[in-house]
Amino acid sequence: MSTSESLRAVVAVPLSEEHCRLIERLEPRLELVRDASLVRPMRGPADWSGDPAHERTPAQQQAFDDLVDSADALFGIPDVDPAALARTVAVNRRLRWVMTTAAGGGGQVKAAGLAPEALDRIVFTTSAGVHGGPLAEFAVFGVLAGAKDLPRLAQQQADRQWTDRWEMRQIDEMTVLVVGLGGIGAECARRFHALGAQVWGTTRSGAPVEGVDRLIPLDELVSAVAEVDAIVVTLPGTDQTHHLIGAEVLSAVKPGVILASVGRGAVIDEEVLLDALDDGRVSFAALDVFETEPLPTDSPLWRHPRVLVSPHTAALNRKEEERIARRFAENATRLLDGEPLRAVVDTVEFY
């Protein structure tokens, strides 16, 4: 697009007026259309899907659909519902860009089952990288919790038991393997490097990443895990990454390895992980994501003494909405100026 053109963008998920105005200030050429009365109210910070108990009247639903169908671009998948995305893509030929509010929004696009023509016509982007800092902090927290044996400390405190001292591990004496050096993985690498760890990272491109001491081709993952003290998983969920951390990898790890997971739950085979926890191959696992969410109440992960369960909340931060709004404005500027957009979804592997 030329710099003289404008872009009609419709806010298809809850977004505060404050952040709408921020987007307009950052990119004045953007016509940002919103109607707060038509979107589901947020129940908490960055609750993009809104309250599921909130129902539109038939007239409100028609008004919402009409609004969405008038867009050149969408801030968010309508109601964070792949079926709603498929509906508007089918009727709105002017739609050319959709930004998902989720970093892993490629999975939502895949679930919409869009035709190849639509995938060619519309650019899909995600908020990938926006959540890198908070998720990297959780990864550091998880590895530290394993290194300092947080479960033992918590149990002894609960029992008011003062035992003999025991040795704790130090991060600056550890080798940490970051599986996936995208936006989140790069932030993890930077933080572990700053703490003095030897940092390895898997790569497909072979491009150097700040703070990474050794790049590991993915086809060498099995041999690499035998040499590291901690594994941090940041990969998106795709057909290619499904159960990548499974029997072959977890049978090869150095005994006592610590695992932290902040990517997508399907990357780890949870049944195999439980076996590895039980026999000591994995000494501790800090998990923010799971194969099935919410984590079923009968999952053994809930009660395993060496597992820390986080309900996919590590990325949630009061600044998340602002960061995503800024990303949308930045990509709107890029689109209007004919420049490549950031965090474009690969519509073959959907990440």
Side-chain angles (χ1 to χ4, degrees):
M1 296 180 75
S2 70
T3 56
S4 61
E5 289 189 74
S6 63
L7 188 72
R8 179 180 172 86
V10 170
V11 179
V13 293
L15 184 67
S16 71
E17 184 62 20
E18 173 190 0
H19 293 124
C20 288
R21 290 176 179 171
L22 171 63
I23 292 171
E24 290 173 326
R25 287 198 302 273
L26 292 171
E27 181 42 80
R29 293 172 293 176
L30 196 64
E31 179 191 0
L32 192 69
V33 186
R34 65 273 193 185
D35 186 338
S37 70
L38 297 179
V39 294
R40 297 169 179 164
M42 282 188 175
R43 295 160 293 178
D47 179 26
W48 302 109
S49 57
D51 186 352
H54 179 269
E55 293 186 6
R56 301 184 184 96
T57 66
Q60 287 174 325
Q61 185 64 53
Q62 186 61 56
F64 179 70
D65 291 346
D66 290 344
L67 187 66
V68 167
D69 295 347
S70 72
D72 300 313
L74 290 176
F75 180 99
I77 291 175
D79 295 332
V80 195
D81 180 358
L85 175 63
R87 187 209 62 79
T88 192
V89 166
V91 300
N92 182 7
R93 299 294 304 178
R94 64 187 285 174
L95 185 64
R96 49 189 308 223
W97 169 40
V98 177
M99 190 187 86
T100 74
T101 49
Q108 297 168 346
V109 177
K110 181 180 181 180
L114 303 177
E117 175 276 328
L119 295 174
D120 290 340
R121 172 169 57 92
I122 302 167
V123 177
F124 296 92
T125 65
T126 74
S127 63
V130 165
H131 309 88
L135 290 175
E137 287 193 6
F138 182 86
V140 170
F141 165 69
V143 173
L144 277 169
K148 308 307 179 186
D149 206 345
L150 178 62
R152 181 175 179 179
L153 289 170
Q155 187 61 56
Q156 289 188 184
Q157 181 172 346
D159 296 341
R160 302 181 187 180
Q161 182 184 21
W162 186 283
T163 65
D164 291 337
R165 301 165 69 195
W166 77 86
E167 182 180 356
M168 293 183 175
R169 287 188 270 181
Q170 294 178 223
I171 284 189
D172 65 0
E173 296 177 350
M174 297 172 70
T175 298
V176 178
L177 172 63
V178 180
V179 183
L181 288 174
I184 298 168
E187 289 293 328
C188 290
R190 190 164 66 86
R191 283 162 172 76
F192 281 107
H193 177 79
L195 290 170
Q198 181 83 3
V199 180
W200 296 1
T202 64
T203 177
R204 293 198 301 180
S205 69
V209 176
E210 181 184 358
V212 177
D213 301 290
R214 178 180 169 187
L215 293 171
I216 306 294
L218 260 180
D219 59 7
E220 297 179 16
L221 177 62
V222 173
S223 60
V225 296
E227 303 179 57
V228 302
D229 305 289
I231 301 169
V232 175
V233 182
T234 73
L235 290 171
T238 69
D239 292 342
Q240 287 69 34
T241 64
H242 182 76
H243 285 184
L244 178 69
I245 309 300
E248 187 178 14
V249 168
L250 291 175
S251 65
V253 295
K254 179 193 290 189
V257 73
I258 298 165
L259 180 69
S261 179
V262 293
R264 281 295 179 266
V267 179
I268 297 175
D269 186 328
E270 291 174 1
E271 289 189 15
V272 175
L273 172 61
L274 281 162
D275 289 341
L277 284 159
D278 288 340
D279 66 21
R281 282 173 286 153
V282 176
S283 62
F284 182 79
L287 310 174
D288 184 55
V289 290
F290 301 88
E291 290 195 70
T292 301
E293 297 183 359
L295 183 64
T297 55
D298 61 352
S299 170
L301 292 168
W302 280 113
R303 59 184 180 274
H304 199 287
R306 290 189 298 281
V307 173
L308 178 65
V309 171
S310 168
H312 204 148
T313 197
L316 192 60
N317 178 278
R318 65 184 180 87
K319 285 286 196 179
E320 179 180 345
E321 294 167 35
E322 179 184 333
R323 288 196 295 265
I324 291 175
R326 289 183 179 276
R327 166 65 64 81
F328 185 76
E330 176 194 359
N331 264 347
T333 298
R334 288 174 174 267
L335 185 63
L336 286 162
D337 290 345
E339 298 178 359
L341 274 62
R342 293 185 61 188
V344 174
V345 171
D346 180 318
T347 53
V348 175
E349 297 187 17
F350 291 95
Y351 70 89

